[in-house]
Amino acid sequence: MFSRRISAPHELNRLARALAGRTRPYLDLTVTNPTSVGLRSGEVDAFDGATSGRDARVLAALADQRGLVYTPDPKGILSARTAVSNYYAAVHGVLVPPGQIVLAASSSEAYGWLLKLTGDPGDVVLVPAPSYPLLDALAELECLPLRRYALASEDGFAFHAAAVEAEVQRVEASGHRVAAVVLVNPNNPTGTSLALAELGALFALAKERGFAVISDEVFVDYRYSDRPQDVRVAAATTSTSAPDALVFSLGGLSKSAGLPQLKLGWIFANGPAGLLEDALERLEWIADAYLSVSTQVQLALPKLLAHARGTADAIWARVLRNERSLQAAFPPGGGVTVLPVRAGWAACLRVPAVRPEEETVLDLLESHDVLVQPGYFYEFPFEAFVVVSLLPPPGVFEEGLGRLVRALTPHA
Ligand SMILES: Cc1ncc(COP(=O)(O)O)c(C=O)c1O
């Protein structure tokens, strides 16, 4: 009756069950929806006017008469792809021909298309651990088994191509093929970015073993400071020549402009001549089967991206402020260690491993009315970590932190 690709019914975990049965209010330190954390213009808490007038500008950009006529282009209408190209040039100093950009309704949809493009059912997708949990579902829906390669915990969860190579060898030894290797750069939730030398080693491996690289860069605009060796846009690492392997960089409005509800993401494809054109032609064919990005948001894209920086700055100010509160709440040398936050909207706390993470998180919710995520949601290699979002309104965040301090460092 149903496809085996969905291993349903998925059971609710203990935290979800506790939340479902809850009536008492709690402080939510997991919220990552930028439209519901008091950053919109007109909301009490808007930051220094940085977002002032933004709602009106977004709505005006969407009210474009041309949207009354439907003239679809599977890769996305040219003015919208040119806007993405201009954004890469202005914000990241990277030249991206519009012909190498494909629009999708979100980066999640882009993942689905790229997995369709590169994998046959049974081929393996490699993803980092710890990292973004939705990747499991996205691979499962394409009938592609997912395997993890470790980010080096001893090196602050940095990417090392050797870990990918070891996993590729294991997959191949079991008679399977690796279709794609996913990078999350900067990573969610650890904020770590990839060093150029490691990307070079990964491309060499990709060329030799015939897999594609998918680099999820949705948090690329949210970095504290770049180490000189950090890669920003993987598909553009070589400005003078194309990379040796097929590489797809993903981005979108949900993070870069704080507008997840408008549903627009993009793929920037690069690779060796011949292979790249072939990939783009097939990707266009996949996109043509869906034509999922609304004309209205595509027409609005030049204006939305032109104003994105103001929103990104407001989000960034919020993240930095909350991060300072976090550092002050858990100074070095205490029982709880805040992992260095290098990028993104999350922070990871290493907490005493005196009981399973799940117990810690349930106790925080039930006895202290504060919600955080356990590290195992993100496949940390060992316990105990909790992950907090840095987006909540500062008042909520600081009160939530106070509760975390009382619960996690009771003798301090
Ligand atoms: C690493 C990462 N990639 C992709 C997404 C989803 O982005 P989109 O809204 O474009 O699907 C998220 C959302 O939190 C994310 O953390």
Side-chain angles (χ1 to χ4, degrees):
M1 181 65 153
F2 296 117
S3 165
R4 283 193 300 274
R5 82 187 64 205
I6 305 162
S7 54
H10 284 108
E11 263 189 32
L12 287 185
N13 61 45
R14 284 176 69 197
L15 188 58
R17 286 204 300 275
L19 283 169
R22 219 184 133 87
T23 48
R24 226 177 33 245
Y26 59 89
L27 297 176
D28 188 352
L29 302 194
T30 70
V31 58
T32 54
N33 175 353
T35 66
S36 68
V37 288
L39 284 166
R40 290 182 34 233
S41 56
E43 288 183 307
V44 192
D45 200 24
F47 250 80
D48 303 326
T51 54
S52 119
R54 186 188 85 144
D55 295 3
R57 284 197 298 271
V58 169
L59 292 174
L62 290 167
D64 190 317
Q65 291 269 348
R66 290 172 298 167
L68 296 172
V69 179
Y70 186 41
T71 49
D73 177 336
K75 286 165 76 178
I77 56 182
L78 185 60
S79 60
R81 286 185 286 122
T82 304
V84 177
S85 166
N86 292 341
Y87 152 85
Y88 273 111
V91 179
H92 300 294
V94 166
L95 288 179
V96 183
Q100 286 173 237
I101 291 169
V102 179
L103 304 184
S106 63
S107 33
S108 302
E109 184 175 63
Y111 269 116
W113 291 358
L114 292 170
L115 297 181
K116 285 179 184 56
L117 174 74
T118 56
D120 282 316
D123 286 347
V124 171
V125 183
L126 295 188
V127 306
S131 196
Y132 178 52
L134 191 68
L135 298 171
D136 291 69
L138 296 173
E140 187 179 40
L141 285 170
E142 303 301 334
C143 301
L144 303 180
L146 176 141
R147 297 273 290 264
R148 297 179 207 284
Y149 62 88
L151 299 180
S153 57
E154 66 283 5
D155 192 13
F157 296 103
F159 174 95
H160 290 278
V164 174
E165 185 166 13
E167 203 50 48
V168 170
Q169 273 164 6
R170 275 192 281 275
V171 169
E172 290 180 349
S174 68
H176 291 92
R177 166 183 172 261
V178 173
V181 171
V182 173
L183 310 171
V184 182
N185 186 55
N187 191 32
N188 176 11
T190 60
T192 35
S193 295
L194 185 76
L196 191 56
E198 296 296 336
L199 187 67
L202 179 69
F203 283 167
L205 188 67
K207 182 180 179 198
E208 184 191 308
R209 307 299 244 278
F211 59 78
V213 174
I214 301 174
S215 183
D216 179 336
E217 293 162 7
V218 298
F219 286 112
V220 71
D221 298 316
Y222 300 95
R223 292 168 185 257
Y224 283 70
S225 57
D226 276 331
R227 297 172 303 167
Q229 74 274 27
D230 279 349
V231 169
R232 292 174 83 86
V233 180
T237 35
T238 46
S239 50
T240 47
S241 62
D244 289 342
L246 272 182
V247 49
F248 303 96
S249 285
L250 307 186
L253 284 185
S254 84
K255 306 293 185 285
S256 288
L259 295 168
Q261 76 279 31
L262 294 192
K263 306 308 298 175
L264 187 143
W266 55 78
I267 301 167
F268 160 30
N270 208 353
L275 196 55
L276 174 65
E277 287 69 35
D278 204 2
L280 283 167
E281 203 177 307
R282 287 158 195 253
L283 204 45
E284 181 168 353
W285 194 85
I286 297 171
D288 199 13
Y290 294 89
L291 295 174
S292 51
V293 194
S294 90
T295 302
Q296 220 61 35
V297 73
Q298 294 189 59
L299 289 172
L301 194 61
K303 286 186 184 145
L304 296 175
L305 282 176
H307 299 311
R309 199 62 247 170
T311 308
D313 286 347
I315 293 175
W316 197 226
R318 168 70 61 83
V319 166
L320 291 178
R321 176 175 171 166
N322 283 341
E323 208 261 336
R324 277 196 301 274
S325 304
L326 183 66
Q327 297 292 353
F330 295 108
V336 171
T337 309
V338 181
L339 301 195
V341 184
R342 301 191 181 94
W345 297 356
C348 307
L349 277 61
R350 187 151 185 204
V351 301
V354 288
R355 56 188 169 167
E357 276 167 1
E358 186 163 65
E359 304 283 329
T360 299
V361 169
L362 280 169
D363 178 58
L364 285 169
L365 180 65
E366 281 161 2
S367 310
H368 302 271
D369 298 322
V370 58
L371 179 66
V372 298
Q373 288 179 318
Y376 79 85
F377 276 14
Y378 295 87
E379 299 283 341
F380 275 82
F382 48 83
E383 297 213 350
F385 291 91
V386 300
V387 176
V388 296
S389 165
L390 295 170
L391 285 198
V396 172
F397 191 74
E398 279 155 32
E399 196 180 332
L401 276 184
R403 294 182 192 185
L404 292 185
V405 169
R406 282 193 291 283
L408 298 172
T409 57
H411 308 297

